[in-house]
């Protein structure tokens, strides 16, 4: 016998329409202009449908990323053989990416979702942050081994510091200003 749990079963068509509407509105209006009311109207569903499945607009954005291809949000660190040039290129790429209000809004929405819901925060950390952190740590470890960075440098700590710098810029509204590379490199020399 097939038993259903409590509550209504999600309509996959409504769910897809809601997620698509959220991303479309985010690109049109940024995170500040995104609202559950607008999402419901654009998706052609009632607000109660959205609130039955998600507690907030940021939770909707988190599901967009967690159920979609979140890995595409992890910007790869180039590997030209020059860690300083690669780091400068990576930071400049991140700044350009965040110049797009939709990208900046998505990043802020994901931060809000992580703060609102511990389960979502853990999932986002595992899918996005750990992927970026692992890639950066591996590059720094290789740069240490090749003599580009000093022996004894804590590659994991440096990766955390760089990701923290980018997230700080996102949260403070200064995301498009590239951190002073000389200051960051001084931390790892």
């Amino acid at each position: 016998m097939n038993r259903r749990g409590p509550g209504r079963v999600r309509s996959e068509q409504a769910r897809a329409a809601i997620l698509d509407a959220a991303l479309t509105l985010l690109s049109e209006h940024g995170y500040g202009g995104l609202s559950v009311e607008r999402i419901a109207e654009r998706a052609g569903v009632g607000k109660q449908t959205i609130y039955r499945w998600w507690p907030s607009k940021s939770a909707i954005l988190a599901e967009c990323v967690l159920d979609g291809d979140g890995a595409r949000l992890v910007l790869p660190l180039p590997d030209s053989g020059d860690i300083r040039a690669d780091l400068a290129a990576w930071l400049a790429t991140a700044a350009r990416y965040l110049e797009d209000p939709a990208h900046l809004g998505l990043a802020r929405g994901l931060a809000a979702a992580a703060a609102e819901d511990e389960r979502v925060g853990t999932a986002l950390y595992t899918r996005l942050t750990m992927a970026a952190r692992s890639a950066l740590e591996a590059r720094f470890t290789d740069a240490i081994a090749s003599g580009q960075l000093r022996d004894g440098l804590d590659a994991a700590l440096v990766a955390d510091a760089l990701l923290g710098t980018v997230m700080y810029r996102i949260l403070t509204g200064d995301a498009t200003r590239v951190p002073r590379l000389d200051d960051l490199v001084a931390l790892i020399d």
Side-chain angles (χ1 to χ4, degrees):
M1 176 163 48
N2 186 7
R3 291 186 171 193
R4 243 182 36 183
R8 289 185 160 168
V9 175
R10 281 188 183 187
S11 157
E12 186 55 36
Q13 183 178 1
R15 178 184 168 278
I18 291 165
L19 297 178
D20 182 60
L23 289 175
T24 300
L25 289 166
L26 179 68
S27 69
E28 291 173 0
H29 303 286
Y31 186 71
L34 187 65
S35 69
V36 170
E37 292 78 12
R38 280 184 165 173
I39 295 169
E41 182 179 324
R42 177 71 60 99
V45 300
K47 286 191 314 186
Q48 71 278 10
T49 299
I50 291 176
Y51 283 121
R52 185 171 33 251
W53 299 333
W54 297 280
S56 64
K57 66 183 183 179
S58 57
I60 297 169
L61 293 179
E63 187 163 330
C64 290
V65 171
L66 292 173
D67 283 359
D69 184 14
R72 68 182 175 78
L73 298 176
V74 177
L75 300 174
L77 182 63
D79 190 356
S80 70
D82 179 349
I83 190 65
R84 286 164 183 78
D86 295 343
L87 182 57
W90 182 77
L91 290 168
T93 299
R96 279 191 309 276
Y97 179 84
L98 293 168
E99 285 176 353
D100 181 331
H103 294 157
L104 182 58
L106 180 58
R108 286 182 174 160
L110 295 176
E116 289 173 0
D117 184 329
E118 185 177 339
R119 184 183 54 79
V120 170
T122 299
L124 287 170
Y125 182 79
T126 302
R127 289 261 325 260
L128 299 179
T129 306
M130 285 305 297
R133 184 182 188 271
S134 294
L136 288 170
E137 184 178 351
R139 271 295 276 119
F140 292 133
T141 299
D142 290 347
I144 293 165
S146 69
Q148 293 180 61
L149 297 174
R150 68 175 164 77
D151 283 336
L153 181 72
D154 186 335
L157 181 63
V158 174
D160 283 343
L162 287 172
L163 290 172
T165 298
V166 172
M167 182 51 73
Y168 173 77
R169 294 292 171 89
I170 289 168
L171 295 175
T172 61
D174 198 15
T176 60
R177 189 170 67 89
V178 177
R180 290 192 318 254
L181 184 61
D182 293 339
D183 291 344
L184 291 174
V185 171
L187 295 175
I188 62 176
D189 277 341

